[in-house]
Amino acid sequence: MDGVVRAWVDGWVVSRGAAPPVPEPWGFTVDVGHPAHVSRHVLSAVGDAVEERTVREVVDGVRGTGVWLKVFQSPALVGDWLGEGWWVDPEPGWLMTVPLPTGKGHTRVPDGYGLRRWTRGGVTRVLVTAPDGSFAARGQVAPTGATAVVDQIETAPEHRRRGLGGLVVRVLAETAAAEGAETGVLAGTPQGRALYASLGWTVTAPLTSARFTGDERR
């Protein structure tokens, strides 16, 4: 399963323009470079293989605010292992995968909507526009060999329940497959899990996201 984590990390850094991942004994460190997201530590263990001792060791080494921690286990469990100064998203994300399509599928754009697609820096982006030209939905994919990371899927609230999110994901999956990728990987939100599951994606593990916000005792 740690191969799925590495695939997600490799694709995520390409998708977000982050620094190359630095291997650690427990996983990877990635420099992101934003004030609220300076860097992130991603543990490679998944599910029951995640060890409390390892999580605590990584956490004890964090001193600066804006450092994130990604652990592939439930926040109900991981949250108890993090000391003061950590904000923990109470809802789990989900590490998910899917076999990518071998042929072109059904990607009909709803009447009145427009679909645009472009690739730059190894990342393909898809934009769906509303009939008046405003934003309706978007997403992007970063193929990195046999795997591809689908990222930043978003649908405007007023355009939800019209199949646009599914349309974006299918187009991105077909694009990655055409470039030789065989497996799609993503880290989905609780809200997105149902959409991805309806498109054939399966859960590999829950995902805890935590951010160090400061601890006065340090």
Side-chain angles (χ1 to χ4, degrees):
M1 291 299 183
D2 58 351
V4 176
V5 175
R6 180 61 197 252
W8 178 62
V9 171
D10 286 344
W12 189 90
V13 300
V14 174
S15 177
R16 302 297 181 93
V22 177
E24 307 279 6
W26 37 260
F28 309 94
T29 293
V30 176
D31 287 333
V32 181
H34 296 295
H37 194 163
V38 180
S39 60
R40 57 169 49 189
H41 300 312
V42 184
L43 273 66
S44 58
V46 172
D48 292 340
V50 175
E51 297 181 347
E52 177 180 355
R53 173 180 57 83
T54 302
V55 173
R56 290 187 181 275
E57 287 177 357
V58 175
V59 166
D60 285 346
V62 175
R63 295 292 183 270
T65 59
V67 175
W68 284 75
L69 180 70
K70 300 289 181 174
V71 182
F72 293 98
Q73 181 56 280
S74 169
L77 181 64
V78 176
D80 291 337
W81 301 343
L82 309 182
E84 293 184 11
W86 285 90
W87 171 85
V88 181
D89 190 333
E91 294 189 333
W94 303 96
L95 181 65
M96 305 181 73
T97 64
V98 71
L100 293 177
T102 56
K104 188 173 182 179
H106 178 66
T107 55
R108 186 186 71 83
V109 181
D111 292 343
Y113 287 88
L115 187 146
R116 305 171 194 170
R117 172 171 42 183
W118 66 96
T119 300
R120 178 166 293 184
V123 181
T124 295
R125 292 173 171 82
V126 168
L127 169 67
V128 178
T129 54
D132 65 357
S134 62
F135 172 79
R138 73 168 308 279
Q140 59 197 60
V141 66
T144 54
T147 57
V149 168
V150 172
D151 192 23
Q152 295 194 317
I153 306 301
E154 180 183 358
T155 302
E158 64 272 23
H159 295 285
R160 291 174 182 167
R161 301 187 182 279
R162 302 182 188 183
L164 301 182
L167 169 66
V168 169
V169 174
R170 286 193 297 270
V171 171
L172 294 174
E174 291 174 5
T175 299
E179 295 186 17
E182 300 172 354
T183 302
V185 183
L186 62 77
T189 63
Q191 297 77 17
R193 179 181 176 181
L195 166 65
Y196 304 130
S198 71
L199 298 173
W201 293 72
T202 58
V203 171
T204 297
L207 170 60
T208 294
S209 294
R211 182 180 75 251
F212 188 64
T213 57
D215 186 339
E216 294 180 354
R217 298 179 303 169
R218 296 183 181 232

